[in-house]
Amino acid sequence: MMRLHKVYHRLTLLSLSPSSPPPPPPLTSSLSLFTSVRTPGHLRTHHSKRFKSICTMTSRFPNLVPLNSIAAENVGGRSNDSVSSASTEDEEALAGKYQLPPPEIKNIVDAPPLPALSFSPQRDKILFLKRRSLPPLAELARPEEKLAGMRIDGKCNTRSRMSFYTGIGIHQLMPDGILGPEREIHGYPDGAKINFVTWSLDGRHLAFSIRFDEEDNSSSKLRVWVANVETGQARPLFQSPNVYLNAVFDTFVWVDNSTLLVCAIPSSRGDLPKKPLVPSGPKIQSNEQKNVIQVRTFQDLLKDEYDEDLFDYYATSQLVLASLDGTTKEIGNPAVYTSMDPSPDQKYLLVSSIHRPYSFTVPCGRFPKKVEVWTTDGKFVREVCDLPLAEDIPIAISSVRKGMRNINWRADKPSTLYWAETQDGGDAKVEVSPRDIIYTQPAEPLEGEQPEILHKLDLRYGGISWCDDSLALVYESWYKTRRTRTWVISPCSKDVSPRILFDRSSEDVYSDPGSPMLRRTPAGTYVIAKIKKENDEGTYILLNGSGATSEGNIPFLDLFDINAGSKERIWESEKEKYYETVVSLMSDYEEGDLLLDRLKLLTSKESKTENTQYSIKKWPEKKVCQITNFPHPYPQLASLQKEMIKYQRNDGVQLTATLYLPPGYDPSKDGPLPCLFWSYPGEFKSKDAAGQVRGSPNEFAGIGPTSALLWLARRFAILSGPTIPIIGEGDKEANDRYVEQLVASAEAAVEEVIRRGVAHPNKIAVGGHSYGAFMTANLLAHAPHLFCCGIARSGAYNRTLTPFGFQNEDRTLWEATGTYVEMSPFMSANKIKKPILLIHGEEDNNSGTLTMQSDRFFNALKGHGALCRLVILPFESHGYAARESILHVLWETDRWLQKHCVSNSSDASAELDACKDEVSKGVTDSDNQAVVASGGGGPELADFEHEGFYSLPRSLL
């Protein structure tokens, strides 16, 4: 199925006087965290010595104002003379409840999402897959098992936190390109959650799974349904109501037009394993063989024998063949099947499974793996491989698993396998030639028939685009040098030597020739589309490229002569106003070579202010017929201003950023705005590549639920994605000069927006997510003169906690100790004087960004008197999903920006620094109490021995 559109607390607070009464309930618009739990006993206060009266301390610092009387000037729309409003805001901030952002932000986030689209194999029908908006926190709060690097919802036996569709609409695509009226798939119960929608090979049926919410706020197990596309009538695939889908790994696949192969929960499965009340012994791991095993900080791993049993319980499936006529047949024995792939001729199945011994060190993707060939009726043919446990894959980038990998069917053959095998033991640091060898072999080789070598590679194998016996493209690359090569081979012509078609740097986007367009075969596979020109015997393919230029991306479609190497540009996006792309071939359902004059494409078109719409473009006239008319998702920002800007770093590297300005803003009349700088660093091997322009000034501004662009609605200037290249040319390591290049890039960006007069010099905030949060903390530590405050979401701040590499750093802590320490903002916590807001999901499962990273960084900051705030979001992972969480994150961010950016002034900052200097020199009262200034001009109370704060325990829900 072709997806065309994927529109996809604990509150540890600033100091609060323990002698004060508990904070009042939040405003009525707030969403309570305590909806279904007992409030008493969960809200705890940490005490040390009692604080003396606020009056006593403010008499010593007469220019500072007590917390409860801060004037919230221009904060959230409140007037600057409303003391009670300011007090209410700070009480809200201390209340530990979920809050709502301002309506202008909330309304954008709550806008209904657009549907996803899926075209039928014959390209004559379109599915509109309807979706809901953000899920409630209650869904994330459902119990989940963390096993072997996965999170499993045991109630419905699938991956946890799975999104879903709410309905399926079918539109006929008329010959003139117009969509017919919508026909709803019907017959399933109201409120069903729909997943895994797939077309049958002939396009006459759909298969999908459904589940329901149950009374105890859990979800039912998944059942497989099928629907007739012509009538829209849906029904269960299995007549028995007791056959459920196991969606932990693979789900189901069409074997032919009337038969599905389904991963079902075994009917023989017993009760859930019970965890022993008393363990049989200690948990032991051993490396007495002195193996070198270096792994990154994987999370949710198996911990003991009970976890192993639990993993087997949930992950074990029984494969079942189910026909549309109701007949079923179990094939094979129950096992932990991870994938099942029918051969193009529908005679064989390629079945993969994992098995014991499992590991407590690596996730399930590295468990022992067996790959077998069966007939489609379940008869065992042969074992392709049985790979051992792979705990020892080196951490060097481009390292891989030993043995056979990437085993697949050839897309252009009935039933031929191909795969790659490493010749360097999988270790990227080993120099060897060739490094990878590609093999092919029939599904059922003759006795004694050995695999045939298809091609040898000196870089790391990266895949194959098949066409036919005379043409295939083989890809290889090497990360350290950024080199990438494309080979032309003739799979069945040994007398034709392979040749290099493209040899370039993967960083050099200006030289990217594009990718070959693929066509769908009747068997449902995809192969390179060969194009025929009238009265021309040449072999042509279509190269679809992003068209990166110094003025931004200008997508193109080239007709490429594969033999001569010449090309003709047959289409290019408009440059002035619109950004267009080629999405897919729409004339590929006919067998044989495609005629250029009968070419039909699906394209997308958008502009700065017009959201994406899809059209059919037909040759030779290149007539365009628009087939969608989606409404603008946020009309209140329809006239936002967008510009791609260029500027230089002090070392001469060309930098770019996208500058967004609010609708109707005029710098000559309105003056400079508060500005939010939001970015994510990248690593490069050359200055030239780092300076290349990426993206288009004409792309539509997509605004996700946590996007920085939301603050356009609050009259901020947004500097989105300013390039922060960390460059290591030649043999130099980029991260050895990380801080220097980070600061230089940020300085150049800030200077540019100030020069343009759109950003107030004292009102520029910095923020980022994940590696962008890491960037934010480093900039506040090493470039405090640039920013008034920071927002850091789900970051890692202490690189000694990721000792075997992080991001694209593949040296260990012991090999690059100085770099690890210098890059860690945790080590520079004493330098951070500007306000910083830390936000983290309590269940972050991303490698490296454990929640502990923010916990410890906050404590380090607090230990040095920094103005900081930590927000831990219950049940949230690395990215935030629940509506309550997202809206609260936006409220926190908006509050922080209004208080420490909008209301910031240089005089107040100087006064704050003077106050901190006095405190650091020992100007304290007899109870060791100090005043730590709040970035908005008011104080916050802290205790040197133990800061008082309210905290919602992690076990709360």
Side-chain angles (χ1 to χ4, degrees):
M1 178 177 64
M2 178 177 54
R3 296 289 172 83
L4 302 175
H5 187 65
K6 294 186 177 179
V7 178
Y8 307 74
H9 65 134
R10 186 185 55 138
L11 299 181
T12 305
L13 304 171
L14 291 161
S15 52
L16 173 71
S17 171
S19 60
S20 305
L27 299 177
T28 55
S29 62
S30 300
L31 301 173
S32 173
L33 183 64
F34 300 97
T35 302
S36 59
V37 297
R38 292 185 300 109
T39 303
H42 286 289
L43 189 62
R44 66 178 187 266
T45 309
H46 296 263
H47 295 272
S48 58
K49 299 180 180 179
R50 291 178 60 88
F51 286 88
K52 290 193 173 181
S53 77
I54 294 175
C55 294
T56 302
M57 285 181 286
T58 54
S59 68
R60 303 178 61 186
F61 302 101
N63 293 324
L64 297 178
V65 185
L67 171 65
N68 288 333
S69 61
I70 294 175
E73 180 179 0
N74 296 325
V75 176
R78 298 180 175 90
S79 62
N80 61 358
D81 60 350
S82 174
V83 174
S84 61
S85 294
S87 176
T88 300
E89 180 198 271
D90 284 294
E91 288 169 345
E92 288 175 359
L94 298 171
K97 307 286 186 177
Y98 287 104
Q99 306 288 344
L100 299 177
E104 53 265 46
I105 289 180
K106 176 181 173 295
N107 292 341
I108 296 174
V109 174
D110 281 341
L114 298 176
L117 304 184
S118 172
F119 283 81
S120 66
Q122 289 70 34
R123 308 295 193 249
D124 60 344
K125 297 179 181 66
I126 309 178
L127 298 184
F128 278 52
L129 303 171
K130 300 169 185 180
R131 302 179 296 174
R132 62 164 184 183
S133 52
L134 299 172
L137 185 64
E139 288 192 9
L140 272 66
R142 291 171 178 165
E144 60 183 2
E145 301 291 345
K146 301 175 182 179
L147 301 168
M150 300 185 299
R151 293 183 175 180
I152 298 172
D153 184 332
K155 185 72 174 181
C156 57
N157 219 106
T158 184
R159 301 288 180 99
S160 61
R161 309 175 183 221
M162 193 166 64
S163 60
F164 56 88
Y165 301 115
T166 59
I168 305 173
I170 305 176
H171 291 267
Q172 186 77 28
L173 185 60
M174 303 300 184
D176 59 0
I178 302 298
L179 290 185
E182 183 173 270
R183 180 169 59 253
E184 286 275 355
I185 297 294
H186 58 277
Y188 52 80
D190 292 340
K193 299 178 177 180
I194 302 169
N195 289 99
F196 311 119
V197 182
T198 58
W199 293 90
S200 62
L201 299 179
D202 60 6
R204 297 175 59 188
H205 291 88
L206 297 175
F208 52 92
S209 71
I210 65 170
R211 56 193 162 107
F212 310 94
D213 282 335
E214 298 186 336
E215 293 182 0
D216 61 352
N217 196 38
S218 64
S219 183
S220 65
K221 291 183 175 65
L222 280 69
R223 299 190 64 195
V224 182
W225 282 57
V226 291
N228 184 296
V229 171
E230 290 301 321
T231 66
Q233 180 65 47
R235 61 177 176 82
L237 174 64
F238 295 98
Q239 295 179 355
S240 169
N242 298 319
V243 180
Y244 298 106
L245 183 68
N246 187 338
V248 170
F249 286 107
D250 210 346
T251 52
F252 52 81
V253 62
W254 289 95
V255 175
D256 55 40
N257 290 326
S258 61
T259 308
L260 287 136
L261 179 61
V262 179
C263 281
I265 296 174
S267 58
S268 59
R269 185 171 79 173
D271 295 333
L272 188 71
K274 293 183 179 180
K275 187 170 186 175
L277 295 177
V278 178
S280 59
K283 298 177 182 179
I284 299 173
Q285 297 187 57
S286 174
N287 190 35
E288 296 180 42
Q289 295 78 24
K290 298 183 179 181
N291 295 322
V292 177
I293 298 176
Q294 300 178 348
V295 295
R296 296 205 173 186
T297 49
F298 299 120
Q299 299 193 54
D300 301 337
L301 301 177
L302 300 177
K303 299 179 291 297
D304 51 32
E305 292 181 2
Y306 170 72
D307 274 0
E308 291 181 307
D309 293 341
L310 206 58
F311 176 74
D312 277 337
Y313 178 83
Y314 287 120
T316 298
S317 296
Q318 173 64 61
L319 299 186
V320 181
L321 284 170
S323 296
L324 297 181
D325 62 8
T327 60
T328 62
K329 176 186 177 182
E330 293 186 353
I331 61 173
N333 296 317
V336 183
Y337 296 109
T338 57
S339 68
M340 47 199 187
D341 187 16
S343 61
D345 63 3
Q346 304 173 2
K347 292 182 179 180
Y348 299 96
L349 298 171
L350 186 65
V351 180
S352 299
S353 61
I354 56 178
H355 59 83
R356 299 192 184 217
Y358 297 149
S359 170
F360 301 155
T361 305
V362 294
C364 58
R366 298 190 181 186
F367 287 178
K369 177 182 179 180
K370 183 181 293 185
V371 181
E372 298 173 334
V373 175
W374 301 357
T375 62
T376 47
D377 61 358
K379 178 183 176 182
F380 175 82
V381 176
R382 68 183 178 104
E383 181 182 285
V384 178
C385 66
D386 190 354
L387 303 175
L389 180 65
E391 288 184 327
D392 58 348
I393 298 177
I395 61 172
I397 299 175
S398 299
S399 294
V400 295
R401 189 174 193 157
K402 299 174 185 176
M404 300 170 67
R405 69 182 196 280
N406 301 109
I407 307 169
N408 291 293
W409 298 110
R410 273 186 61 168
D412 62 326
K413 285 290 186 181
S415 52
T416 299
L417 294 171
Y418 72 99
W419 65 89
E421 289 189 37
T422 178
Q423 306 300 299
D424 56 11
D427 189 349
K429 293 183 177 180
V430 173
E431 294 295 333
V432 65
S433 179
R435 190 173 291 277
D436 274 337
I437 298 178
I438 307 168
Y439 294 92
T440 66
Q441 192 175 41
E444 286 194 78
L446 300 175
E447 186 175 352
E449 183 179 2
Q450 296 300 310
E452 179 182 342
I453 295 178
L454 180 69
H455 193 48
K456 297 180 180 181
L457 301 169
D458 284 336
L459 308 181
R460 187 63 76 202
Y461 167 71
I464 301 179
S465 294
W466 298 97
C467 183
D468 54 29
D469 284 344
S470 65
L471 176 63
L473 299 182
V474 180
Y475 309 101
E476 63 174 338
S477 63
W478 196 248
Y479 176 77
K480 277 293 185 184
T481 60
R482 308 300 199 272
R483 189 179 187 185
T484 179
R485 294 196 294 196
T486 302
W487 291 82
V488 178
I489 65 171
S490 295
C492 294
S493 301
K494 296 183 182 298
D495 56 337
V496 178
S497 300
R499 60 185 174 87
I500 293 177
L501 185 64
F502 305 121
D503 189 348
R504 48 182 290 273
S505 168
S506 60
E507 293 182 337
D508 182 9
V509 293
Y510 292 172
S511 70
D512 188 350
S515 301
M517 293 207 70
L518 305 180
R519 61 175 299 174
R520 193 180 192 276
T521 69
T525 63
Y526 284 85
V527 298
I528 296 173
K530 275 189 175 180
I531 306 297
K532 285 291 185 183
K533 295 174 67 176
E534 189 174 354
N535 300 321
D536 190 329
E537 297 301 320
T539 301
Y540 296 94
I541 65 174
L542 295 172
L543 293 180
N544 185 12
S546 60
T549 73
S550 59
E551 301 304 316
N553 289 359
I554 305 173
F556 64 83
L557 190 67
D558 281 348
L559 186 67
F560 184 74
D561 188 324
I562 198 73
N563 295 319
S566 59
K567 59 185 178 182
E568 173 190 352
R569 186 141 301 179
I570 62 173
W571 175 85
E572 188 174 74
S573 173
E574 181 183 333
K575 305 174 185 178
E576 300 304 321
K577 180 180 178 181
Y578 290 100
Y579 176 76
E580 300 173 87
T581 63
V582 173
V583 179
S584 174
L585 280 170
M586 294 293 286
S587 51
D588 60 346
Y589 53 87
E590 298 178 356
E591 294 193 51
D593 291 339
L594 304 180
L595 297 177
L596 179 61
D597 287 345
R598 297 182 62 185
L599 196 62
K600 187 162 62 172
L601 303 172
L602 178 71
T603 62
S604 68
K605 185 176 183 178
E606 62 198 81
S607 73
K608 298 176 184 179
T609 57
E610 299 173 43
N611 54 306
T612 304
Q613 305 293 351
Y614 295 98
S615 300
I616 302 294
K617 188 183 295 287
K618 298 180 181 179
W619 264 252
E621 299 87 359
K622 300 181 184 177
K623 180 182 177 182
V624 176
C625 181
Q626 184 173 315
I627 62 174
T628 63
N629 189 25
F630 296 128
H632 198 292
Y634 20 89
Q636 59 271 55
L637 293 179
S639 59
L640 62 80
Q641 303 173 54
K642 176 184 177 182
E643 181 183 0
M644 183 174 286
I645 63 175
K646 301 178 184 178
Y647 48 96
Q648 267 196 358
R649 203 163 72 178
N650 58 15
D651 59 358
V653 175
Q654 181 77 27
L655 304 178
T656 59
T658 304
L659 176 63
Y660 292 91
L661 299 171
Y665 169 72
D666 184 343
S668 63
K669 296 179 181 179
D670 303 327
L673 296 171
C675 178
L676 178 55
F677 173 115
W678 199 271
S679 191
Y680 192 98
E683 295 177 9
F684 293 86
K685 290 302 293 182
S686 77
K687 290 183 178 181
D688 289 342
Q692 292 181 351
V693 176
R694 291 163 172 83
S696 167
N698 295 325
E699 287 182 271
F700 180 69
I703 303 179
T706 58
S707 171
L709 300 187
L710 289 166
W711 274 269
L712 289 168
R714 298 286 279 164
R715 307 296 293 176
F716 270 70
I718 309 297
L719 194 64
S720 177
T723 50
I724 301 187
I726 311 300
I727 304 166
E729 293 189 302
D731 295 331
K732 295 179 180 178
E733 295 287 347
N735 284 336
D736 289 347
R737 294 178 55 235
Y738 174 85
V739 172
E740 172 191 344
Q741 297 187 69
L742 176 70
V743 172
S745 299
E747 283 178 337
V750 168
E751 289 171 3
E752 179 63 18
V753 291
I754 293 174
R755 184 191 67 80
R756 288 171 170 262
V758 298
H760 193 292
N762 297 322
K763 298 182 180 182
I764 302 176
V766 60
H769 183 92
S770 194
Y771 207 50
F774 176 73
M775 169 206 76
T776 297
N778 266 308
L779 285 173
L780 292 185
H782 302 291
H785 58 291
L786 297 178
F787 303 105
C788 60
C789 64
I791 300 104
R793 300 177 185 168
S794 300
Y797 309 103
N798 184 352
R799 285 305 170 194
T800 68
L801 297 178
T802 55
F804 290 108
F806 58 89
Q807 202 71 4
N808 292 319
E809 177 60 69
D810 58 6
R811 296 172 294 174
T812 70
L813 168 64
W814 299 273
E815 292 170 327
T817 306
T819 297
Y820 272 66
V821 171
E822 183 183 1
M823 287 182 70
S824 298
F826 180 87
M827 304 300 180
S828 300
N830 60 315
K831 298 179 181 179
I832 296 179
K833 307 301 181 184
K834 296 295 178 69
I836 182 170
L837 171 64
L838 304 174
I839 303 174
H840 217 118
E842 192 169 27
E843 303 295 333
D844 193 330
N845 63 346
N846 184 53
S847 176
T849 56
L850 291 76
T851 308
M852 173 180 64
Q853 289 272 6
S854 286
D855 278 330
R856 293 188 175 180
F857 188 42
F858 175 73
N859 287 329
L861 292 167
K862 191 171 61 171
H864 290 89
L867 201 169
C868 53
R869 179 177 175 88
L870 171 63
V871 180
I872 301 294
L873 303 169
F875 306 115
E876 293 290 353
S877 186
H878 190 59
Y880 318 138
R883 181 176 183 271
E884 295 92 327
S885 301
I886 287 173
L887 293 179
H888 187 87
V889 166
L890 299 177
W891 177 83
E892 291 278 0
T893 304
D894 189 70
R895 172 185 175 273
W896 204 252
L897 291 173
Q898 297 294 335
K899 191 170 186 179
H900 301 301
C901 183
V902 174
S903 301
N904 183 58
S905 68
S906 57
D907 291 341
S909 298
E911 191 171 53
L912 169 60
D913 291 338
C915 173
K916 287 190 174 182
D917 288 341
E918 285 194 76
V919 173
S920 65
K921 293 174 183 176
V923 184
T924 63
D925 60 26
S926 58
D927 281 334
N928 287 331
Q929 295 166 3
V931 176
V932 180
S934 173
E940 301 292 344
L941 303 178
D943 185 283
F944 280 175
E945 293 183 2
H946 192 125
E947 182 183 26
F949 62 88
Y950 274 84
S951 174
L952 304 184
R954 296 193 177 195
S955 59
L956 180 63
L957 298 183

